[in-house]
Amino acid sequence: MPDRHRIRIEIAATGRRPPELAAVHHEAPSDDWLVFCHGLRSDKSGSYERRCRRAVAAGYNAVRFDCRGCGESDGEFAESTLEARLNDLRRVVDYFDPDSYALFGSSFGGKVAFHAGAADDRVEAIATRAPVTTNETFDEYRATIEREGEVTFDTGERLDQRFFDHLDRYPFDDVASTLSVPVAIVHGGDDGVVDPADSFDAARRLETDVLLERFAGEGHRFSRDGEDRLLERLFGWLEWAVGRP
């Protein structure tokens, strides 16, 4: 059975319970690790559980976790900026303390994975699905916040100016010029949320080995067949990218 963990985000003031992240470790008898980063309004459940089971079958210790303000983790969604998510990922990785690890990021989690991989020498490969690589992806949200002060989703989740204050500190140019590990990008050809053209542009700009695949007929959320193809491609590519059987 997977092990569930509560990981402290930061030291809280005296008398207050420190906020915690919810993480799940799917253990494999190896020193290989794969950490999953979910999308903006997603969490560690659903497809991530299946992806982690597949990772274990391929010999990887797999970790999925909820960023602050998401799923079972503490905090407010409005606090879950890019900078906060990068810190959350760092906390999770430091908690399990692998010598090296690969990253998988979906949508906004792809942006998290890219910037984390550029900053952490322990990262040995980055795989993404429909990654956010341009801040223009969120132009509609930016316009609403400029006009109304916040974006409120039908679930009650909110975004405010903090989201863009942090997002704008992390241009993709920083990644394109510094990332040195192999990268895989898979994007649905019918994605109406993150433009597939952004992934082609990102692949051209990255100065490292890049595998880019467009899955015709798949949208931002993949079908069951699309997910099967994704997993088959992912672990076949990882076998080459990290140089292990």
Side-chain angles (χ1 to χ4, degrees), residues 25-34 52 54-63 96-102 124 235 242 244-245:
H25 174 208
H26 297 249
E27 187 175 1
S30 79
D31 295 323
D32 303 331
W33 290 76
L34 179 58
C52 285
R54 178 66 176 80
V56 171
Y60 288 87
N61 285 277
V63 176
F96 291 104
D97 196 26
D99 291 334
S100 61
Y101 64 102
E124 54 187 355
F235 291 100
V242 302
R244 295 177 186 141

Side-chain angles (χ1 to χ4, degrees), residues 40-41 69-70 75-80 85 153 157-159:
L40 180 62
R41 297 179 61 204
C70 301
E76 298 295 326
F77 182 76
E79 301 169 350
S80 195
R85 291 180 184 226
F153 300 104
E157 299 164 330
R158 296 184 306 107
L159 290 178

Side-chain angles (χ1 to χ4, degrees), residues 161-224:
Q161 186 57 43
R162 286 174 291 179
F163 180 79
F164 288 101
D165 288 344
H166 289 215
L167 184 69
D168 291 340
R169 296 173 193 167
Y170 294 90
F172 190 75
D173 283 346
D174 291 352
V175 169
S177 61
T178 61
L179 199 61
S180 59
V181 300
V183 169
I185 302 172
V186 176
H187 210 130
D190 293 343
D191 193 334
V193 177
V194 179
D195 191 342
D198 292 345
S199 286
F200 284 84
D201 180 63
R204 284 191 295 267
R205 294 163 63 192
L206 286 166
E207 298 179 7
T208 188
D209 290 327
V210 181
L211 169 69
L212 171 62
E213 292 203 21
R214 176 185 180 272
F215 281 17
E218 297 292 340
H220 193 62
R221 292 182 179 274
F222 279 11
S223 67
R224 180 73 179 220

Side-chain angles (χ1 to χ4, degrees), residues 135-145 147 151 164:
N135 293 357
E136 283 73 24
T137 299
F138 300 112
D139 275 354
E140 184 178 345
Y141 295 162
R142 190 189 295 268
T144 300
I145 290 172
R147 185 175 64 251
V151 172
F164 288 101

Side-chain angles (χ1 to χ4, degrees), residues 123-135:
V123 175
E124 54 187 355
I126 298 171
T128 63
R129 188 196 66 82
V132 171
T133 56
T134 172
N135 293 357

